[in-house]
Amino acid sequence: MHFMTWKDTAGGGLRERKKRATRAALTEAAVRLAAEQGADQVTVEAISAAAGVSVRTFFNYFDSRDDAFVVVDADASERVRRSLLAAPPGLSPLEALREALATELREAERQHELWSLHARVLRASPHLLVRNLGAQTADETGLAEAIAARIRAGETPAPPEDGVDRAAPGLYPRLLAAVAGTAVRVSVQHWCERPDDAAFADVFHEVFALLAAGLPAPAR
């Protein structure tokens, strides 16, 4: 579940805010250049110059040029997991995950152009799309583990009777993590295609309302 957030740099110490701002500037520069020229034509030097930093600084944030297109916000998934685990115990796993994602995505509407450009870059570069899907799969696994941990936290611990490692995500956590990733992707895609129809937050909450209702068939 890789997010295109470009979140405000509020929060954390000055050093951390500067680091987030630099990373966001590099990512935005990479996406804009790739949208204009094609990802294969963009160099690390060009990205660094557009962001106003040195090539050495670029490699403080990314291991390779392609990471600047794919790893948009390396900390987003961790923030979602922390929010999920810290959510009020009365919320169902679906509700807690919805709120965690909504918090992370609250600035999406302001970044409509960059979301659209990023999607265009991935569609035009199959190798980047594959890497993005791989990153999403890794994020999904981590999210499933967090969902499983939240569920276990609300249960009375009991020793396993069948030797199964109950620390591993079960079917429900894996399914919920996968469905949530799809819900985010569908919300973003629908909103990018029809930005004037509704606010992104409304589209996002409608998608999760449909999930919570069991995906009933729409009225004709």
Side-chain angles (χ1 to χ4, degrees), residues 67-190:
D67 284 343
F69 306 122
V70 177
V71 183
V72 176
D73 187 341
D75 299 324
S77 297
E78 177 61 27
R79 288 193 298 267
V80 170
R81 292 193 291 269
R82 288 200 302 265
S83 296
L84 172 67
L85 293 172
L91 296 181
S92 70
L94 178 61
E95 291 169 334
L97 183 53
R98 179 197 64 202
E99 294 307 308
L101 291 170
T103 297
E104 187 62 34
L105 294 167
R106 67 179 178 270
E107 306 226 359
E109 198 153 12
R110 187 169 61 86
Q111 301 295 343
H112 172 260
E113 180 195 10
L114 288 169
W115 280 73
S116 298
L117 289 177
H118 185 245
R120 186 196 308 173
V121 168
L122 293 182
R123 287 196 301 268
S125 305
H127 71 288
L128 293 179
L129 181 59
V130 170
R131 289 194 60 174
N132 181 262
L133 291 174
Q136 289 183 15
T137 298
D139 288 345
E140 187 178 295
T141 298
L143 183 59
E145 292 171 350
I147 294 169
R150 178 179 173 85
I151 293 172
R152 288 196 303 271
E155 298 174 345
T156 301
E161 298 178 356
D162 53 8
V164 176
D165 179 9
R166 300 185 186 282
L171 180 61
Y172 178 86
R174 292 183 187 279
L175 179 59
L176 179 54
V179 168
T182 299
V184 170
R185 186 170 65 253
V186 169
S187 298
V188 171
Q189 182 178 3
H190 180 85

Side-chain angles (χ1 to χ4, degrees), residues 3-10 16-32 47 50-53 57-58 61-62 67-69 71-75 79 107 110-111 114:
F3 303 111
M4 190 71 149
T5 54
W6 276 282
K7 292 169 68 70
D8 284 346
T9 56
E16 287 304 312
R17 292 199 300 272
K18 287 183 175 180
K19 288 173 63 177
R20 288 198 297 270
T22 300
R23 186 185 188 93
L26 284 165
T27 304
E28 181 172 348
V31 170
R32 289 190 180 280
I47 296 171
V53 302
T57 297
F58 176 94
Y61 292 88
F62 303 102
D67 284 343
F69 306 122
V71 183
V72 176
D73 187 341
D75 299 324
R79 288 193 298 267
E107 306 226 359
R110 187 169 61 86
Q111 301 295 343
L114 288 169

Side-chain angles (χ1 to χ4, degrees), residues 192-204:
C192 283
E193 292 173 352
R194 307 175 185 180
D196 297 328
D197 288 358
F200 174 74
D202 293 337
V203 174
F204 175 82

